Amino acid sequence: MSGLPLTLELLAVPEAVPEMRRMLRGRFAGEDAGDLVLCVSELLRNVIVHVGEGTPVTLRVTGTHTGRLRIALSDPAPVVWPVLRSAGADGTSGRGPLLVDAVALRWGVEQGPYRKTVWCELRAPGPGRQAAGAGRFGGSPRRFVGLQDRGGDASATETARRKNRQAVTEFEGIQLFALYVVWATLEVGQK
């Protein structure tokens, strides 16, 4: 894929989302970059909504040694992780991580002491190549067989997802405990 690597530092503001879409479509013109544009948009929106508008972020789009496309968005909030959750039928938000999960071959979070990076890997698009999810809504029908259709070994992918879910659950438990400690400290201080 031409146009790689790409590294941008920007502020996560609502206006940045359509600007980023236009820039990516222009940079990767002639290549099917729909999934790339979708994932970058959703990761950026997630920072705006859950970390805060105006947060400085770094976007990196690179190729991997396995021929995949890696998108990584770093922000200075190491404890605010994306969570897969079910948005109600009437809900107007809450689907970003689900969309990334649906189109990415794999995704995850790398946490540092002062920042985190949410990343995902896609099949590298190319000229005339159908997007990874294009068969879902049009064109030739596509048969889904669990995680195997996502480009990897189903058992390895499922193991990685189980570990990711376990890490998120453990992390949420730690956050809950920390909130309890703060609450208990405040309660004791008021007596």
Side-chain angles (χ1 to χ4, degrees):
M1 178 174 216
S2 62
L4 295 178
L6 169 66
T7 301
L8 295 171
E9 293 186 4
L10 63 141
L11 295 178
V13 293
E15 300 81 27
V17 177
E19 287 176 26
M20 189 62 50
R21 287 184 192 132
R22 278 191 295 280
M23 189 276 303
L24 291 169
R25 285 186 188 116
R27 185 170 181 125
F28 300 107
E31 300 183 73
D32 182 6
D35 288 348
L36 166 68
V37 172
L38 173 70
C39 287
V40 169
S41 297
E42 294 305 329
L43 293 177
L44 188 55
R45 285 285 309 145
N46 207 50
V47 171
I48 294 167
V49 171
H50 298 289
V51 177
E53 191 173 322
T55 300
V57 297
T58 303
L59 171 69
R60 288 178 202 83
V61 182
T62 58
T64 68
H65 69 282
T66 60
R68 293 179 177 178
L69 189 62
R70 183 178 172 98
I71 301 163
L73 189 71
S74 300
D75 67 62
V79 297
V80 182
W81 283 29
V83 176
L84 291 175
R85 61 185 172 117
S86 177
D90 296 331
T92 58
S93 65
R95 293 179 179 84
L98 290 172
L99 289 170
V100 171
D101 184 63
V103 300
L105 296 171
R106 60 188 201 126
W107 70 278
V109 178
E110 296 170 357
Q111 185 177 10
Y114 303 108
R115 59 191 300 109
K116 74 164 176 309
T117 299
V118 181
W119 59 270
C120 65
E121 290 182 0
L122 306 171
R123 286 183 182 89
R129 191 174 163 267
Q130 190 179 39
R136 296 178 205 166
F137 303 109
S140 60
R142 179 174 171 183
R143 182 171 174 258
F144 290 93
V145 186
L147 299 169
Q148 292 176 344
D149 276 280
R150 297 167 68 125
D153 176 20
S155 62
T157 305
E158 185 56 35
T159 300
R161 284 193 172 188
R162 192 171 30 260
K163 286 180 181 177
N164 191 22
R165 276 190 225 108
Q166 181 181 357
V168 169
T169 303
E170 289 171 3
F171 183 74
E172 289 170 344
I174 291 168
Q175 282 183 318
L176 186 59
F177 179 73
L179 287 173
Y180 172 76
V181 169
V182 169
W183 173 81
T185 303
L186 292 173
E187 280 293 310
V188 171
Q190 290 179 357
K191 290 184 181 183

